[in-house]
Amino acid sequence: MDLKQSNKILKQFAEIVKKQQAVRPISPKEKLKVGIDLGTSSIVLAVLDHDDVPLYGAFQYADVVRDGIVVNYIDSVKIVKKLKLQAEEKLGIELTSACGAIPPGTGETAQKVVANVINDAGFLAHTIIDEPTAAARFLKLEEGSVVDIGGGTTGISNFKNGKEIAVFDEPTGGYHMSLVLSGAKKIPLAEAEILKRETSDEREIFGIIRPVAEKMASIAKQYVVLNEAAPILLVGGATNFEDFVPTFSKVMDHPVLRPEYPQFVTPLGIAMFD
Ligand SMILES: Nc1ncnc2c1ncn2[C@@H]1O[C@H](COP(=O)(O)OP(=O)(O)OP(=O)(O)O)[C@@H](O)[C@H]1O
Ligand SMILES: [Mg+2]
């Protein structure tokens, strides 16, 4: 694992997503790798070249997946199709295949649904992996655990000698933080969601949702197989608070690391499997 290098790639990817431009001209003969992350909070598309260098990326906030399960099939396909067309326009090349992912332990049916969404959007979905495995691949994690806290789910996977030894999934995530904030501030959920992401006073906001983060950590503690020699890697958009890492680490009683732009770790890892 090389967190510095991972952070460099994540930063590049975040810039690409912001600019909405391909990083370089693409030859029509190039075989590109595509990852589609159907998340509770957003759908992310990541395009890499043959050497896993990010070329393009985009996302759309969407409410089409709940607890890792596609609940709005038609809109999921529409959004993936739109992201695909936009990407093809920017890259000047047709994207043919893509890899997708599901939270660990959601089963074969969920896997088939994700594959169908990707296929109906015009890709050939040849691999559907589990999300923390994708995150671990991006981070080149051989030993230790990845905890992926997204909008609606927390996925945990433990690795030994580069092999996944156990995975778990809990239906808790950033959505539950927004719910608590909405109640505490007496504001609608949608407003709380935006306040949480764009606050100018992160300390105050995290103060309100700290108990949720602590609860998440105590859930994770049940499933993480602690490895004395390896840190716990935290990823997923919900971990985007400065105090999240020390809070998590204290409950886990173990060192915790979080890469930059943690919401892009899993999508980039998914693309690496294409
Ligand atoms: N800057 C931020 N500060 C706090 N929370 C954030 C920030 N950016 C995103 N989030 C939260 O991260 C969550 C989304 O994370 P992510 O994109 O990893 O989820 P997802 O993959 O869509 O969902 P899941 O993996 O649960 O299906 C949302 O709850 C969102 O509010
Ligand atoms: Mg996710």
Side-chain angles (χ1 to χ4, degrees), residues 37-40 42 131 148-151 153 236-237 263 266-267:
D37 187 357
L38 292 171
T40 308
S42 65
E131 290 169 359
D148 180 356
I149 309 179
T153 59
Q263 65 273 34
T266 302

Side-chain angles (χ1 to χ4, degrees), residues 39-42 131 150-153 174-175 193 196-197 236-238 240-241:
T40 308
S41 157
S42 65
E131 290 169 359
T153 59
Y175 172 74
E193 174 66 31
K196 184 186 72 175
R197 273 193 256 129
N240 261 309
F241 289 94

Side-chain angles (χ1 to χ4, degrees), residues 176-188 192 195 204-205 207-209:
H176 304 85
M177 294 176 162
S178 302
L179 273 181
V180 167
L181 192 58
S182 155
K185 288 270 183 194
K186 299 188 173 55
I187 53 173
L195 176 67
E204 189 225 340
I205 300 303
I208 296 169
I209 60 182

Side-chain angles (χ1 to χ4, degrees), residues 1-11 139 259-260:
M1 194 186 65
D2 181 350
L3 197 60
K4 230 175 163 182
Q5 177 62 13
S6 298
N7 280 338
K8 207 174 132 193
I9 298 168
L10 284 160
K11 199 164 167 225
L139 296 166
E260 285 178 48

Side-chain angles (χ1 to χ4, degrees), residues 198-220:
E198 293 168 11
T199 181
S200 54
D201 191 351
E202 205 189 282
R203 275 257 146 92
E204 189 225 340
I205 300 303
F206 191 71
I208 296 169
I209 60 182
R210 184 190 305 273
V212 187
E214 286 170 346
K215 182 83 196 295
M216 286 166 170
S218 67
I219 291 171

Side-chain angles (χ1 to χ4, degrees), residues 30-245:
E30 274 190 73
K31 166 76 186 85
L32 304 186
K33 299 166 89 171
V34 180
I36 304 287
D37 187 357
L38 292 171
T40 308
S41 157
S42 65
I43 296 184
V44 187
L45 173 142
V47 183
L48 310 176
D49 73 7
H50 193 67
D51 298 317
D52 290 343
V53 176
L55 296 175
Y56 176 81
F59 73 91
Q60 183 171 327
Y61 286 115
D63 187 17
V64 294
V65 175
R66 297 257 166 88
D67 300 344
I69 309 290
V70 174
V71 290
N72 186 334
Y73 189 87
I74 293 174
D75 283 354
S76 301
V77 173
K78 259 192 208 156
I79 293 168
V80 177
K81 235 183 212 168
K82 194 185 110 193
L83 290 170
K84 178 179 189 278
L85 284 173
Q86 276 172 356
E88 289 174 339
E89 198 181 302
K90 303 281 181 188
L91 292 159
I93 183 175
E94 194 192 344
L95 300 173
T96 50
S97 65
C99 181
I102 49 162
T106 29
E108 224 172 275
T109 312
Q111 203 166 341
K112 274 195 189 130
V113 174
V114 168
N116 289 343
V117 168
I118 294 174
N119 286 327
D120 283 352
F123 290 105
L124 182 70
H126 54 77
T127 318
I128 307 295
I129 41 152
D130 76 72
E131 290 169 359
T133 302
R137 165 112 177 228
F138 173 78
L139 296 166
K140 296 192 171 72
L141 186 90
E142 296 268 314
E143 300 286 334
S145 304
V146 180
V147 179
D148 180 356
I149 309 179
T153 59
T154 294
I156 298 153
S157 51
N158 299 292
F159 294 85
K160 202 172 165 54
N161 297 324
K163 287 230 156 52
E164 195 175 71
I165 49 167
V167 291
F168 303 95
D169 193 61
E170 276 288 319
T172 179
Y175 172 74
H176 304 85
M177 294 176 162
S178 302
L179 273 181
V180 167
L181 192 58
S182 155
K185 288 270 183 194
K186 299 188 173 55
I187 53 173
L189 182 62
E191 222 174 281
E193 174 66 31
I194 292 168
L195 176 67
K196 184 186 72 175
R197 273 193 256 129
E198 293 168 11
T199 181
S200 54
D201 191 351
E202 205 189 282
R203 275 257 146 92
E204 189 225 340
I205 300 303
F206 191 71
I208 296 169
I209 60 182
R210 184 190 305 273
V212 187
E214 286 170 346
K215 182 83 196 295
M216 286 166 170
S218 67
I219 291 171
K221 198 171 181 173
Q222 297 171 41
Y223 299 111
V224 164
V225 179
L226 282 181
N227 178 329
E228 283 314 314
I232 295 162
L233 262 297
L234 260 187
V235 304
T239 66
N240 261 309
F241 289 94
E242 207 165 305
D243 285 342
F244 204 103
V245 173

